[in-house]
Structures are given as C-alpha cells and as structure tokens.
Amino acid sequence: MLDLTFTEPKPKTIAGATGDWELVIGLEVHAQVASNAKLFSGASTTFGAEPNSNVSFVDAAMPGMLPVINEYCVEQAVRTGLGLKADINLFSAFDRKNYFYPDLPQGYQISQLYHPIVGEGEVLVEMEPGVARIVRVERIHLEQDAGKSVHDMDPNMSFVDLNRTGVALMEIVSRPDIRGPEEAAAYVTKIRQILRYLGTCDGNMQNGNLRADVNVSVCRPGDYEKYQATQDFDHLGTRCEIKNMNSMRFMQAAIEHEARRQIAILEDGGSVDQETRLYDPDKNETRSMRSKEEAQDYRYFPCPDLLPLEIEQAWVDEIAAGLPELPDAKKARFVADYGMTDYDAGVLTADVTDAAFFEDVAKGRNGKLAANWVINDLFGRLKKAELSISDSPISAEQLGGILDLMASDAISGKIAKELFEIVWTEGGDPAKIVEERGMKQVTDTGAIEAALDKIIADNPAQVEKAKANPKLAGWFVGQVMKATGGKANPKAVNQLVGKKLGGA
Ligand code: ADP
Ligand code: MG
C-alpha cells in the first residue's frame, strides 16, 4: 500500500512592497465523459465531425423534445467519484441554469446545483517524493456542454456549431487547498491521470475535453491556517475566476499574473473585485469578463423534464468492485515488486498506457532491466521521434524479445542497442534478426582467446605496460571487442584478459 507519510509543500509566497503574500487557489475542472452518446440524447460525441452533424432534436431544443438520461454517463460519474475516494450520493437531481447565448439553443443548461451526484473526496498531489498535499474535492456534478460560436469564418456573420451541445461533462470542484501555480498544474495532472486510468475521460486538453476554471486569491501568511481551522472564507482574500484554461503552461502563467495583479491592487490600498476573467496568452495578462455585480441570476430550478436520479448502493458497489488499480497504488506496487526507484515508478505510471506497456515487457523478466529499457531507450527514442507509446514502432513483445536475448547471453548490451535500432526502423522478430545477421555474441572462449592471443602478440609494449598497471588491461578488452565486431561476451573477455595479463 501507499506510504502516506509525507510533509506538506510550502505555499508559494510573493514578496510585495508591504510584506509577503501567499496564494490560495481552487479549481473547477470540466472533464468530458468518455461516452459515445451525449448526456440526454443518442447523438454522437465524435470530435472533429462536420459542423452540426452530431445534433439530435433534443440537442437542437426542438419543441416538445424530452431529455433521456444516459445511464453510461451516470456510471462514469460514479466511477470518477469512487476513483477520487468521494462519497456517492444515491439521490441527485438536475436543475436548469437559465441564460441566453447563441450556442445554447435550449436557453438553459441542465446541471446539478443543489444535489450533485458525487460529494466530498480527495486527491493526493505529490510534488516530489515524500512531499505531497491532499486537495479536497468538494463535489462532482454532471452537466451538459454548450455548443460553439464561430466568429472567424465570415467578416459579417457568426456561425454556430452544435456538435458539442449536450455532451456530458463532469465538473470536479476542489476546495481552495491549492497553494501555488505548480501545485495547480500538479493537481490537474493528477486528476487527468486518474480519469485516464478510470477510462472516464480521455483527458485530451488540446481538444478541450479537460479544461479548468481557476479561482485565485491572495492572503497574508497565517491567514490560510485560520481558514483551515475554521473553514471560514472570511479569512481568505476575494477571489477572481479565470475561465477555460486548457494548457498547463498557460494556467500557471495566468495564476502567477493574476496573483501579482491582485497584490498590486491591495498594496495600492484598493480592493479586489470578485469577477470572472479571461487569460490572454499573447499579452500574458488577464482581462475582466464580467464582475460579480453583473453576474446573471440563473434562475435555477429543478428541471421538470427529468426525475431525480436515484441509484442503488448495490450498483455503486458493483462499480467499485470493477475499478482498476489507480496511480498511487500502481506506483507503490512497482516500487515493491520490481525494486525500482520512486522516481522511475512515477515515470512508468504517469500514464495508464505507459504502465500497461511496461508491465507487458516486464512480465516474467527482470523488472529493473525492463524499467531501464522502457524509460531510457524506448521513451527516449519515442520522445526524439515525437511519438506516443500507442504509436511505438516497437511492441512490448519485441522489446521483451530483445531483453530475452540479453538474459540468455545471446547478445551483449551493446548489440542489444543496435538490435533495438534495427527493430525500431525495420520491425521484425528480434531473435530472427540476431540469427540472420550473425549478431550472436561469441561466448566460445576458444575464439575469444585466439583473438586475444593475436592482440597480445602484436602489442608487446602494451603488454608490459598492462602488467605493470592492471588498469591498462581495459585496452585489451576494447581491442578484443573491436576484433569481434562487438560480439564477444564482455564477461568472458574480461575473465580471459585477467587470466593472461592480470596478477602482475
Ligand atoms: P461559485 O458558485 O461562485 O462558483 P463556489 O463555491 O462554487 O463558488 O467556488 C468555486 C471555486 O472557488 C471552488 O473551487 C473554491 O474552492 C474556490 N474558492 C472559493 N473561495 C476561494 C478563495 N478565497 N480563493 C481561491 N479560491 C476560492
Ligand atoms: Mg462554481
């Protein structure tokens, strides 16, 4: 099991003209449910489809159309809640959040304000080995996504694409427990990792399938501790919310910028207005979108088209029993089972597909060696080629085959690297390649001895030097390797060189 002894990372402080400031951050992560159909209609959710081709009458809000809840989406929200160690609410209900916007044909969004499907949970955010923070999750609710307005296709007109309208989102709301830009990124990374392990969201931030609204405030050292003790928000500063961040890098820059903007206002004797802001990455600044005063009254009320959602504990238990091994547990197991470092286990478990690939390679083999090859050789090579593991030209079976050839002493580590390159570019069965191209290691001591004897005979001066200084014997090892095209078994060569030149 995971060792939960850790120390909390220090909050980020920013030195102002009037003293130090600390950051307080709470995140609302919107994660698109990995479902083929939308939350209340059977329309497809395929990304990149022809505009307005994935729109049912329900999504287009045709008169008289009724939403029908998609059970699969509900199940994914429950799975997500269980993965975040959260309480599952057997009773939840949908509300209408009313507002007008061209990309919202219904005139309201169906969401869960008063009775979300998932209650309090937590996420362990590890900043470095042994240094971690627990970020509390306040709730997760299910809601519909809106469509997309397209303003850049025509100088005089705007268009709307409703493909996204009605797609299921999980909104994961954290408590304001995040204390700096790096932690915010680590938190989103961890959420994304867990969702991908669970298979409930593909985590594709570029496509907007995972995005975050970031709430930022600043306070004086000591104030956050008062908030923690009382849970009274009055001890915290007024927050601003930065909308729709779908890049880790921009999110961190936006937080840093926003905190400095607030500090400047406060140090100038002003006060921060609670407002929604947008980050502009080109200018590295946030701009006001709307203030709390202008905030719309959404006239929330229970959606009359949908019955409250009542689920059974037995169903929740069934989903819980089917949960996969999650990142923290997998990482701890990799350390325990394969004897690898915490760091390596972190690298190998960062993504669920990487971890599965590694386990396929390591199965029945030396785990530490497998870890080295997967991390250094395979990941290194993939990175150079800008490929992801699912596009790897080398399969787990092929890489395992290379390791087997090393384990049986058929090839040396050096030849294995060459073999790796061959399999990478040409494909094929590693064992066959070694056989066909005569890459087998020479373990026949007779052949090695003959090569060594010739080198000794040809280099009397070197022999004298090596006898006086055993450290120079390495030169002979190198020469034998060269003479045998790198195929001599290094262990056998070392032994023979030692026997013939050593002990002097
Ligand atoms: P709203 O209904 O206005 O969106 P919520 O209670 O849902 O307000 O809070 C939204 C987010 O703001 C949550 O993630 C919460 O943790 C965060 N938050 C609340 N207070 C602060 C604060 N003082 N500083 C930073 N984040 C905060
Ligand atoms: Mg909110």
Side-chain angles (χ1 to χ4, degrees):
M1 257 330 283
L2 186 69
D3 182 6
L4 269 182
T5 49
F6 57 82
T7 53
E8 292 217 341
K10 285 206 175 65
K12 178 176 175 86
T13 51
I14 294 180
T18 60
D20 281 350
W21 297 89
E22 284 181 6
L23 274 62
V24 175
I25 300 155
L27 257 53
E28 297 162 88
V29 172
H30 298 264
Q32 178 177 325
V33 176
S35 158
N36 293 331
K38 297 183 179 180
L39 182 53
F40 298 117
S41 84
S44 165
T45 60
T46 311
F47 180 83
E50 190 65 21
N52 296 308
S53 60
N54 294 341
V55 189
S56 75
F57 288 140
V58 175
D59 309 319
M62 289 295 155
M65 293 297 116
L66 289 173
V68 177
I69 185 97
N70 179 341
E71 180 181 335
Y72 184 78
C73 293
V74 176
E75 183 180 338
Q76 302 321 302
V78 172
R79 275 170 78 77
T80 300
L82 292 168
L84 300 181
K85 302 194 198 94
D87 304 329
I88 306 301
N89 295 325
L90 299 181
F91 177 96
S92 65
F94 291 96
D95 306 296
R96 284 188 183 177
K97 177 181 183 180
N98 301 282
Y99 65 95
F100 174 79
Y101 206 77
D103 66 12
L104 189 76
Q106 288 175 149
Y108 55 84
Q109 178 194 29
I110 303 179
S111 182
Q112 296 187 309
L113 178 69
Y114 302 108
H115 301 285
I117 184 155
V118 178
E120 297 197 351
E122 62 179 43
V123 179
L124 183 83
V125 182
E126 205 171 339
M127 302 307 295
E128 51 186 276
V131 180
R133 188 184 301 285
I134 299 266
V135 174
R136 294 169 299 163
V137 169
E138 186 183 316
R139 55 189 272 151
I140 304 174
H141 58 260
L142 270 171
E143 63 182 29
Q144 304 173 292
D145 206 347
K148 199 173 88 186
S149 297
V150 183
H151 302 294
D152 55 4
M153 268 177 67
D154 188 283
N156 302 315
M157 281 190 285
S158 282
F159 296 89
V160 69
D161 176 5
L162 299 182
N163 281 349
R164 217 172 183 130
T165 310
V167 165
L169 298 180
M170 299 177 282
E171 179 169 335
I172 306 166
V173 183
S174 87
R175 298 268 181 203
D177 289 350
I178 300 160
R179 308 302 315 280
E182 296 79 15
E183 272 180 42
Y187 169 79
V188 176
T189 302
K190 187 64 178 281
I191 292 267
R192 181 176 180 276
Q193 182 191 31
I194 293 172
L195 297 184
R196 282 183 50 80
Y197 268 67
L198 292 165
T200 58
C201 169
D202 70 11
N204 188 328
M205 296 184 78
Q206 254 168 8
N207 292 357
N209 297 352
L210 190 88
R211 51 195 198 261
D213 297 342
V214 184
N215 297 270
V216 181
S217 68
V218 295
C219 65
R220 291 294 192 182
D223 286 345
Y224 185 81
E225 287 67 25
K226 283 184 210 152
Y227 155 73
Q228 258 186 334
T230 59
Q231 293 300 303
D232 182 350
F233 285 90
D234 287 348
H235 294 295
L236 299 181
T238 303
R239 71 179 187 272
C240 286
E241 178 176 353
I242 313 162
K243 278 280 178 206
N244 259 331
M245 308 293 317
N246 68 343
S247 140
M248 301 283 189
R249 194 159 60 85
F250 289 156
M251 180 175 74
Q252 295 183 66
I255 292 170
E256 174 101 27
H257 168 83
E258 177 57 22
R260 290 185 186 279
R261 188 189 69 89
Q262 292 179 14
I263 291 168
I265 292 173
L266 294 169
E267 297 206 318
D268 213 30
S271 61
V272 174
D273 288 333
Q274 187 174 334
E275 57 185 5
T276 305
R277 300 180 70 85
L278 271 185
Y279 177 68
D280 180 345
D282 295 329
K283 296 195 180 124
N284 186 27
E285 62 178 31
T286 61
R287 268 199 306 274
S288 180
M289 230 173 111
R290 55 174 182 263
S291 77
K292 200 73 185 175
E293 288 76 57
E294 300 162 33
Q296 319 174 33
D297 179 352
Y298 291 117
R299 309 265 162 168
Y300 276 100
F301 62 83
C303 183
D305 291 339
L306 289 158
L307 289 168
L309 192 57
E310 290 190 56
I311 58 177
E312 284 173 10
Q313 187 59 46
W315 188 53
V316 175
D317 293 342
E318 205 180 294
I319 298 169
L323 285 193
E325 182 180 39
L326 291 173
D328 292 339
K330 199 182 283 292
K331 186 177 165 193
R333 182 170 62 78
F334 277 17
V335 171
D337 285 7
Y338 299 111
M340 65 176 78
T341 62
D342 200 71
Y343 180 83
D344 284 354
V347 172
L348 289 170
T349 55
D351 193 77
V352 66
T353 36
D354 290 348
F357 189 102
F358 164 73
E359 290 225 90
D360 284 343
V361 176
K363 201 167 178 189
R365 304 195 173 96
N366 179 330
K368 235 173 160 168
L369 188 70
N372 278 340
W373 273 78
V374 170
I375 294 174
N376 299 325
D377 298 274
L378 182 64
F379 287 178
R381 195 70 176 75
L382 286 169
K383 199 170 168 195
K384 221 167 90 187
E386 292 181 19
L387 291 173
S388 73
I389 192 92
S390 38
D391 303 318
S392 170
I394 294 189
S395 68
E397 198 189 335
Q398 286 169 316
L399 183 53
I402 296 174
L403 298 189
D404 289 343
L405 289 164
M406 268 194 288
S408 66
D409 268 344
I411 57 172
S412 65
K414 189 164 165 285
I415 295 290
K417 306 258 174 193
E418 281 172 34
L419 180 58
F420 180 90
E421 271 308 310
I422 294 171
V423 178
W424 175 279
T425 45
E426 300 170 30
D429 173 12
K432 249 201 202 131
I433 294 170
V434 165
E435 200 62 59
E436 282 167 8
R437 306 198 187 181
M439 294 167 76
K440 258 213 169 103
Q441 171 160 260
V442 181
T443 34
D444 166 14
T445 37
I448 297 172
E449 193 165 1
L452 177 59
D453 284 346
K454 183 168 183 315
I455 293 159
I456 287 175
D458 290 350
N459 298 282
Q462 280 287 342
V463 173
E464 285 318 306
K465 278 191 210 161
K467 279 187 172 164
N469 180 1
K471 275 189 197 149
L472 297 179
W475 183 83
F476 287 90
V477 176
Q479 290 301 308
V480 174
M481 294 308 284
K482 211 161 145 189
T484 56
K487 283 180 293 186
N489 179 338
K491 217 160 69 192
V493 178
N494 266 306
Q495 270 168 4
L496 269 178
V497 169
K499 207 165 87 187
K500 297 208 174 222
L501 299 173

